[in-house]
Amino acid sequence: MKHLDQELDALATQFSKELATSEQQLLALGAAHLTTSELLRLQGRYSERVDSYSRWQTRFLNLAMWSPGLLVIGAGLFWAGLLKLALLFLSAFPVTLVMAGWGIYNLYKNYGTLNHHEELLAAIGEELEKRKYPTSKKSR
């Protein structure tokens, strides 16, 4: 019985540590329960994440999009009689395609989806706007 209590205590402390971070609180409770300074900090962090995600996603998609050009260049070099150079370009095609796929997979694995981060950023922005402009209206 003591072993079970110890495990439950360990789980409770683990969950409390996880919820102690501002990001976890934002996900679990929403933006209204965080202080303005935490919201501003999270807004900066999520803005950086969205920018970084977009930049790397564009790079990897461009790599995947331009990789068939290596096939065309390789075929042109083959017809020109430059076999070693043609083989280099033809073998680079699958390597660049695999690199682009790996990069996009890692983006998703490490960052999650871009929509999720944009939604959190919008929720933070809405909460900051609510705090900036009070809802009480003066009567004339």
Side-chain angles (χ1 to χ4, degrees):
M1 192 67 165
K2 280 189 175 186
H3 182 65
L4 182 61
D5 289 338
Q6 289 173 348
E7 285 184 32
L8 289 175
D9 287 339
L11 282 174
T13 56
Q14 179 185 355
F15 288 141
S16 66
K17 284 180 185 177
E18 287 178 5
L19 284 176
T21 65
S22 299
E23 290 181 21
Q24 293 293 331
Q25 288 178 358
L26 175 66
L27 293 173
L29 304 173
H33 299 289
L34 296 173
T35 64
T36 304
S37 63
E38 288 175 330
L39 286 175
L40 289 172
R41 185 178 54 79
L42 286 175
Q43 184 180 32
R45 181 180 291 169
Y46 279 113
S47 295
E48 288 175 4
R49 283 185 183 180
V50 167
D51 292 342
S52 176
Y53 188 100
S54 297
R55 184 174 47 253
W56 281 104
Q57 183 181 33
T58 302
R59 287 179 184 171
F60 288 127
L61 289 177
N62 282 337
L63 182 64
M65 183 180 72
W66 289 104
S67 64
L70 295 172
L71 286 177
V72 174
I73 293 170
L77 291 171
F78 180 76
W79 286 323
L82 303 169
L83 297 179
K84 290 183 180 179
L85 199 55
L87 257 158
L88 177 71
F89 276 88
L90 290 173
S91 62
F93 165 70
V95 172
T96 57
L97 215 54
V98 167
M99 284 176 51
W102 173 83
I104 291 171
Y105 170 75
N106 272 338
L107 272 178
Y108 179 74
K109 187 176 111 181
N110 293 330
Y111 283 90
T113 63
L114 183 60
N115 288 339
H116 177 70
H117 291 295
E118 288 175 341
E119 288 171 2
L120 289 174
L121 195 57
I124 291 170
E126 288 174 13
E127 184 62 31
L128 286 173
E129 281 298 316
K130 286 179 190 175
R131 292 179 186 189
K132 191 177 198 180
Y133 304 106
T135 55
S136 61
K137 297 181 181 179
K138 296 179 182 176
S139 328
R140 291 184 185 185

